[in-house]
């Protein structure tokens, strides 16, 4: 499973990218609004930092505007993926942009039928928002499972990008189900590696090794 960070914060992106396991980045208008500076410049800087798909979202709500914005975003850097909301106008825009060879990430997907239409319109990625479904007491993981099951029957060139992940268990479940990608905030990413038994075990190994060194030093005297 590919791991994407869901952030527009360059410090977070640089720190995580240094580990060598970050495959791409998703941004959205809310995430960019948290940062200072020109959003386009930030997007380009992100593309220069992580060599993978970097989603930048359109804010137009009519197909013509989405297409114009999408073409512009895609022209900023070869890594840019145009993120388009899963609405009627978004579908029209996706058909045109994907026909031009631009990669589209269809976002704000909350039902299997939306995912099916997104894939049929040529979206390269489809983003079911698990956490926001969980927030309204609807099991978000069930949506991912449904989409994967549906896509398994066909030949869509569309990856399932599990989004709106809130904790490591979402990541585990997405991986168990075979989601192609999981995008997560840096706070969730940081928790993936941490385990207290690893820290305790390492400390014990190092303490014991110090004892060996002390014995060897004592013998050498
Ligand atoms: C994905 O592309 C979205 O930017 C993101 O996952 C939304 O997550 P949220 O529901 O935590 O805002």
């Amino acid at each position: 499973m590919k791991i994407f960070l869901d952030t527009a914060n360059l410090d977070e992106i640089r720190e995580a990218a240094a580990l060598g396991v970050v495959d791409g980045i998703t941004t959205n208008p809310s995430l960019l609004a948290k940062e200072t500076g020109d959003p386009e410049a930030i997007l380009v800087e992100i593309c220069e930092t992580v060599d993978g798909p970097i989603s930048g979202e359109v804010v137009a709500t009519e197909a013509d505007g989405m297409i114009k914005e999408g073409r512009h975003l895609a022209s900023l850097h070869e890594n840019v993926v145009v993120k388009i909301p899963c609405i009627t106008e978004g579908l029209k825009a996706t058909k045109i942009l994907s026909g031009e060879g631009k990669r589209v990430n269809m976002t704000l997907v909350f039902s299997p039928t939306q995912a099916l239409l997104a894939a049929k319109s040529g979206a390269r990625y489809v983003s079911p928002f698990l956490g926001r479904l969980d927030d309204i007491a609807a099991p978000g993981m069930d949506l991912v499972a449904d989409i994967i099951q549906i896509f398994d029957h066909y030949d869509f060139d569309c990856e399932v990008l599990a989004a709106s992940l809130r904790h490591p268990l979402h990541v585990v479940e997405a991986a168990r189900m075979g989601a192609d990608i999981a995008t997560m905030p840096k706070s969730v990413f940081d928790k993936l590696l941490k385990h207290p038994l690893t820290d305790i075990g390492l400390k014990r190994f190092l303490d014991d090794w110090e004892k060996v060194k002390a014995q060897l030093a004592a013998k050498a005297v």
Side-chain angles (χ1 to χ4, degrees), residues 6 26-28 31 83 107 129 132 163-164 166 183:
D6 191 38
T26 48
T27 71
N28 63 40
L31 292 170
K83 207 176 185 192
T107 190
F129 274 35
R132 293 194 195 184
S164 184
R166 301 278 163 76
T183 190

Side-chain angles (χ1 to χ4, degrees), residues 200-213:
I200 291 167
L202 180 60
K203 183 174 181 323
R204 192 178 300 162
F205 286 153
L206 295 178
D207 288 349
D208 287 344
W209 197 245
E210 283 305 315
K211 287 177 203 157
V212 173
K213 278 173 31 188

